[in-house]
Each structure stands twice: as C-alpha cells, then as structure tokens.
Amino acid sequence: MATTSTPYGDRRSSLRQSSSETIIEPPSAVPGIEKQHYNEGNPLPNTVSTAKNNINSNLDTTGESNRSKQIITLPLSDPEHPNNWSNTKKALVLTSGILTVIHSTLGSSLPSNAIQYIAADFHVTSEIQLVLPISCFLMGYVFAPTICGPLSENFGRKPVMLISFICFTLFTMACALAPTWASLLFFRFLCGIFASAPIACVSGIYADINSDPRTRGRTMAFFMAATTCGPVAAPPLSGFISENVTWRWVFGVAAIFASTSLPFVILLPETYVPILLSKRAARLRKETGNQNITAQSDLQKKSFRYVMTVVMLRPFRMLFQELIVSTTCMYLALCYGIFYLYFEAYPIIFLGADSVYKYSPGIAGLTFIPIGIGAIIAGGIFLLWDVFLARAHERKAAWSQREESRRLPLALIGGPLYALSILWLGWSARDGVFWLAPVASGVTFGIGFMLIFMAMLNYLSGTSHNPIFRLPTPLTRTLDAYMTFAASAQGIASTCRSLLGVLLPLGAHNMFRTLGVAWACSTLAFLALALGSVPFFFIKYGQKIRANSKFCQELKALYEEELEEKERLERRGPQNA
C-alpha cells in the first residue's frame, strides 16, 4: 500500500488486487488469534496486506524495505473497535472527558473573586497585574493545545490526558502553596498548559468512539456545556472560600476535587485506532512468532523531524490555509475573549464598594450562575434541534443533507442573542435599576454563547471528518482512522480563542473606566454582531469553500480509498475464511 506525503500527514494510495496481497488465515493457520473473530459468514477482521518496496522513503521501515510486511486493520465489525464498545465503557469515556474538561475550565477562572485577597497578601496594586492570575492560565491555553492535539493523534489519547491531568492537579496544589506573586503566576501558567489537554483532546476522543454524526453531536453538546459551566462555577466558589477562610484554600479545594476525579482518568481506555492497532500487532507478534505482522502507523518513522514538520505544524497549516478554520477561529476567539472579559467586567459592576451594586465576593460570584443556566438551556435547544434534524433527514429533506444546514442554524440564533445580551448588561447595570435586570442578561448570554460554540465547533469537527458532503452510511461507518484531524482543528481553535481570552481582559479596566459600562459593553456587542455574519457566510458559500479546499479534497480521496479497500477485503474475506 503506497504512501505519499501531504502537508497534513501521509496519504495512502488505493490498494490494488495483486499477488503481493495476503490475508491472515483463521486460527487454524495462525495460532493464538481469538476464535470469536472468525465466525462463519462475518467479514474477516484481522486483515493483512503485504506491502513490498512501496513504503514512502520518509517513513520508518527499520532497514527492511525489501521485506514483506503484513499490515493488520481494525474494521468496524471487530468487537475491539471503539465504536463497538459497550455502553458502560463508552459512559466511562464520556464521564472521564467531561470531568477533565470541568476541572480544566473551573481552574481557568478560579482566582476571579479571590483576587482582592491575593493582591492584599502579596501587596499588588497594579490593575493590569490583578488580571494576570487568569491571563497566565489562559496563556497556557494559547500554546499547549497545538501541542497536545497533534501529540494525541501521534501517540494516543490516554498518555496525553493522564500525564497532563496529574501535572495539572500537582500545580494547582502548588498555587495554594505559592510563596510569592511571581511563583503564583508561574504555577498558574503551568496549570494552563496542562489543563489545555482536555480542551484539545476530548472532542477527538468522542469522535473515536462515535461514528454516528448525531451521537457525536450530542456528546459535543455535553462537552460544550462543561466548558461553559466550569468557569461560571468558579467565582462563587472562590468568593465564599476566600472571604471566610483564605484564598489559598481556593486552590487547595480545587486540587482535592481534581484528585477525586483522577481514578476516572486512569481508567480511561485508549480510544485512538492507530494505537489500538499497534497494540494488536504487538500481541499478534508475540502470540504467533511472526515478526512481520505490523500496523500501518508502526511503519511511519516518528522522528523528531517528522513530528515537528508534519504533526506539530498541521494545526497552523489548517489555520492559514483553510478559510473555514481561520474564520471560525476568528469568530470564536472574539466570543471567548468577551466571555473571559466578563470576569473583569462583573466585579466592576457587582463587587466591592466602588462597584454599582457593592456586593461581597461570594454574593458577587453568584451573579455568574445565570450564565450557566443559559448554557444548560442551550443544551436543551440543541437536543430539540437534533430531533428536528433527525426527522428531516428521515424524510430526506434536501436541506438536511448539507453540512452547513445541519450544523449552523443554531449559530444564526446564538450570534444576535449573544450581542443583544451584552447590550442588555451594559445599559441595565446602573444606579436605580434593580439588580435582577443586569443579572438576568446572563441567561441569554449563556444561551447565545453556547449555541455559537456548539454550532461552530460541530461544524469545524464535521468538516474535518466529512469535508465535502454527507457520505453514504457504509462509508461514514468506516472512517474512524481518518477522524483524526479534529483534534488539530480544535487545538488551533482553542489557541486562537485563548489568545484573545488573554488580551481582552488586560484592557478591561481602562476600557470600562474610559467609556463607562454602557458604551464599553456596546463596543463589544457591535464587534460580536459584525462577526456574527460568519455563520451566515458559511450557509451561503460553505459548500463551495469545502469543494475547493485542498485539505478537504485530500480527506475526500482518503475516504474513497478506505471504502474501496474495505469493500475489496470483505469480498476476499469469505473466500479465505
């Protein structure tokens, strides 16, 4: 099976039926292979093709370019395929992913309502420096996702998730023990680096275990709800703990909470098909003594040069070469930056003697709760849309076959609602107006924010998985080995939005002092409204953009080759069984 190098990885050319192709025989011929995999009438799952002298020169053949290699595959019919795992095992994967995302996002805004106590302890008076405990964490979000996402695609999901979560827990505890302001900021930066792994990897993990787009969309809804509810739960937590005990216990409680979730991460099974194939190949080599059995991914030379030039640069190539990725990242970055600017704007409105409503840290933290309520409501809206979409698909409505029409309508609602919520907050937060008026704007803000992110991230993942059109069912059910660029796309999206999440809050105090609450919020709302045109643009031109995309054409060719290979092997399987 020949391979050719592309900017996004290695492309396999179509398999041609020839005398160099072989199929592993049932257990009678190859001892040690599990018999239940060879039931009569089923396609032979452990299929091997012999590749002679056709491995790309950039890949590792360990000096054996003239020797035959038996390359195993993991078809959908195999019980070890992640799509075929039990509901219990998939629930463990879902729970582990949600927990890590909650811890990660909770940590991002953890110091928000404890800042005044931290500043007093370390004698910090600069307004810009008061933003740094959150900004330093988000700075870790900027760099790490473009590393964690590709590494999870190269070495597997579990090692990246487990190592990063352990380090995140340790450095959260280090924040509680920080002796100086500088050390606290450094530990916060390290927390952000290691907390970024779930943000970059969990969407890829959910894609690994769910080939059905509808199921994958629902799991992404849970993922997005966790990314929104985590940050808004931190202000009341930090406010009440810091004003009643000490700010150090804010981080201590977070570290203890994270340690209780560690067993779920330890039990998280590996979901990445190439890694599962590598493990299967190693097991078969041991059981059969045949050292020529290998997985396709094992033939690739994962040298430092390969990792740096192909794996690590893939997210940036997608950002600069793919219009859908770049414009989606731009829109989400603004929405995300405004979201984290709220952690500076809300204290200006609600917290302390100089604010409009003069609340204590704990009570002021409760004003974030409506944003979480809005996020939950948005999850319900997504599920209703999912039901409506499924019914449209069943009656074969033409619009339901287009990726843009299936994914983006929620963003058409969420974008204007998001901008309206910012205006609502700005013009209702003033003396003489009942506190519920500005606080209630958080509900629509949470709804709009969630609808935008669910629609745009699902669209981004969908175009990474299924770039040109909705593929026929037999093909979409065999694509898990190629649903791997989602982590890179999500990783660069996370990097871009985290960058604005760092920068926007730095100017929050000056902007609100100069323009006032009303006009500062109005400026943000007008920017959000302008970029809210992005999903409308995709609705009209998205299909043409994907059809002309070099990256999407590459994936389309890979999908077609995979289907051709699968059909040929299923024809050969019964003849050799």
Side-chain angles (χ1 to χ4, degrees):
M1 188 159 42
T3 58
T4 57
S5 181
T6 75
Y8 303 102
D10 301 307
R11 174 179 173 178
R12 303 184 305 165
S13 64
S14 299
L15 278 176
R16 303 299 179 194
Q17 208 167 342
S18 68
S19 58
S20 65
E21 297 171 351
T22 62
I23 302 245
I24 285 187
E25 296 297 330
S28 58
V30 185
I33 300 178
E34 298 170 350
K35 293 184 179 181
Q36 61 267 29
H37 291 180
Y38 295 89
N39 294 332
E40 185 177 358
N42 289 336
L44 204 60
N46 286 314
T47 313
V48 177
S49 61
T50 303
K52 295 181 178 180
N53 301 323
N54 61 355
I55 300 174
N56 187 286
S57 59
N58 293 328
L59 303 182
D60 181 18
T61 60
T62 62
E64 298 175 328
S65 58
N66 294 322
R67 292 179 57 184
S68 299
K69 288 292 184 181
Q70 295 177 317
I71 304 172
I72 65 171
T73 63
L74 191 65
L76 189 65
S77 58
D78 195 299
E80 293 185 11
H81 196 289
N83 283 177
N84 298 326
W85 288 351
S86 66
N87 290 334
T88 301
K89 194 170 185 179
K90 287 187 177 183
L92 173 62
V93 174
L94 177 64
T95 303
S96 300
I98 293 298
L99 285 175
T100 55
V101 168
I102 288 176
H103 288 298
S104 170
T105 55
L106 179 74
S108 66
S109 60
L110 194 59
S112 55
N113 278 32
I115 288 293
Q116 61 182 5
Y117 298 101
I118 299 174
D121 200 5
F122 291 122
H123 308 291
V124 176
T125 57
S126 170
E127 287 184 346
I128 292 182
Q129 287 201 52
L130 296 179
V131 183
L132 293 182
I134 293 179
S135 292
C136 285
F137 187 100
L138 293 178
M139 186 61 70
Y141 271 12
V142 171
F143 297 108
T146 55
I147 299 174
C148 295
L151 287 181
S152 75
E153 296 167 351
N154 210 49
F155 302 113
R157 317 292 193 194
K158 183 172 182 176
V160 174
M161 291 285 289
L162 181 59
I163 293 172
S164 63
F165 190 77
I166 291 174
C167 293
F168 165 74
T169 304
L170 292 175
F171 284 115
T172 300
M173 181 57 72
C175 290
L177 304 174
T180 64
W181 175 252
S183 63
L184 173 66
L185 298 182
F186 178 67
F187 291 143
R188 286 289 293 167
F189 174 68
L190 293 178
C191 283
I193 288 177
F194 293 111
S196 66
I199 304 300
C201 298
V202 168
S203 60
I205 290 174
Y206 290 165
D208 291 338
I209 64 172
N210 296 303
S211 61
D212 176 55
R214 186 180 182 189
T215 305
R216 190 166 59 244
R218 286 180 173 181
T219 56
M220 282 298 293
F222 286 109
F223 168 76
M224 281 308 307
T227 63
T228 306
C229 291
V232 300
L237 177 69
S238 62
F240 283 116
I241 292 177
S242 60
E243 70 181 355
N244 289 289
V245 189
T246 172
W247 67 265
R248 295 185 182 275
W249 268 106
V250 172
F251 297 101
V253 169
I256 295 170
F257 180 38
S259 64
T260 62
S261 300
L262 184 59
F264 288 92
V265 186
I266 294 174
L267 294 175
L268 175 70
E270 179 58 61
T271 64
Y272 192 52
V273 170
I275 298 300
L276 297 177
L277 275 172
S278 295
K279 292 180 178 180
R280 169 174 283 189
R283 185 178 75 241
L284 290 177
R285 285 194 297 269
K286 181 178 180 180
E287 293 174 350
T288 66
N290 183 356
Q291 297 304 308
N292 288 329
I293 298 177
T294 188
Q296 179 70 26
S297 57
D298 292 337
L299 297 177
Q300 298 180 4
K301 182 179 180 181
K302 297 179 177 68
S303 64
F304 178 78
R305 179 180 178 183
Y306 175 83
V307 172
M308 294 305 295
T309 59
V310 176
V311 177
M312 304 306 294
L313 292 182
R314 183 187 300 138
F316 295 97
R317 287 190 172 116
M318 295 177 74
L319 175 65
F320 293 112
Q321 296 178 4
E322 298 301 316
L323 182 61
I324 287 176
V325 176
S326 58
T327 50
T328 298
C329 288
M330 181 170 58
Y331 185 31
L332 295 183
L334 177 66
C335 294
Y336 194 77
I338 293 174
F339 179 77
Y340 273 93
L341 185 143
Y342 262 42
F343 292 100
E344 305 303 322
Y346 264 43
I348 293 173
I349 297 171
F350 296 107
L351 175 60
D354 296 330
S355 67
V356 177
Y357 291 97
K358 301 176 175 55
Y359 291 152
S360 67
I363 300 300
L366 293 177
T367 60
F368 285 90
I369 297 301
I371 299 177
I373 295 173
I376 295 172
I377 294 173
I381 295 173
F382 178 87
L383 294 178
L384 290 174
W385 168 254
D386 186 59
V387 173
F388 175 75
L389 181 63
R391 291 175 179 173
H393 188 69
E394 287 174 1
R395 65 175 184 268
K396 302 188 184 303
W399 66 268
S400 67
Q401 307 303 312
R402 293 185 66 242
E403 189 77 19
E404 287 77 17
S405 299
R406 292 188 297 112
R407 309 279 188 179
L408 294 176
L410 294 180
L412 305 185
I413 301 171
L417 193 61
Y418 184 76
L420 177 63
S421 302
I422 302 171
L423 287 172
W424 179 354
L425 173 68
W427 291 95
S428 63
R430 61 179 187 270
D431 290 331
V433 176
F434 187 51
W435 61 268
L436 186 58
V439 169
S441 70
V443 176
T444 52
F445 181 87
I447 295 173
F449 181 78
M450 268 285 286
L451 291 180
I452 292 169
F453 268 75
M454 283 191 297
M456 300 304 293
L457 288 181
N458 263 320
Y459 180 63
L460 190 64
S461 297
T463 52
S464 295
H465 299 156
N466 190 0
I468 304 301
F469 47 79
R470 174 121 177 116
L471 297 166
T473 301
L475 182 55
T476 56
R477 296 180 65 185
T478 64
L479 300 182
D480 294 84
Y482 300 109
M483 290 182 182
T484 56
F485 291 141
S488 287
Q490 298 281 357
I492 195 64
S494 177
T495 291
C496 291
R497 63 179 183 259
S498 297
L499 183 60
L500 218 56
V502 170
L503 296 178
L504 270 186
L506 292 176
H509 287 276
N510 286 335
M511 182 173 68
F512 276 79
R513 184 186 300 110
T514 302
L515 299 178
V517 172
W519 283 107
C521 288
S522 296
T523 302
L524 297 173
F526 294 149
L527 288 173
L529 194 60
L531 283 180
S533 62
V534 169
F536 291 89
F537 176 78
F538 286 159
I539 286 283
K540 187 171 183 179
Y541 299 108
Q543 195 165 12
K544 292 181 180 179
I545 294 171
R546 288 184 287 119
N548 295 321
S549 164
K550 180 180 177 181
F551 170 65
C552 290
Q553 292 290 347
E554 187 68 35
L555 284 185
K556 179 175 180 286
L558 286 172
Y559 293 160
E560 291 171 347
E561 290 164 10
E562 181 74 3
L563 178 61
E564 179 185 345
E565 177 184 351
K566 179 178 182 292
E567 291 175 345
R568 180 187 58 78
L569 292 176
E570 287 184 347
R571 289 195 301 268
R572 291 282 302 275
Q575 299 172 9
N576 290 272

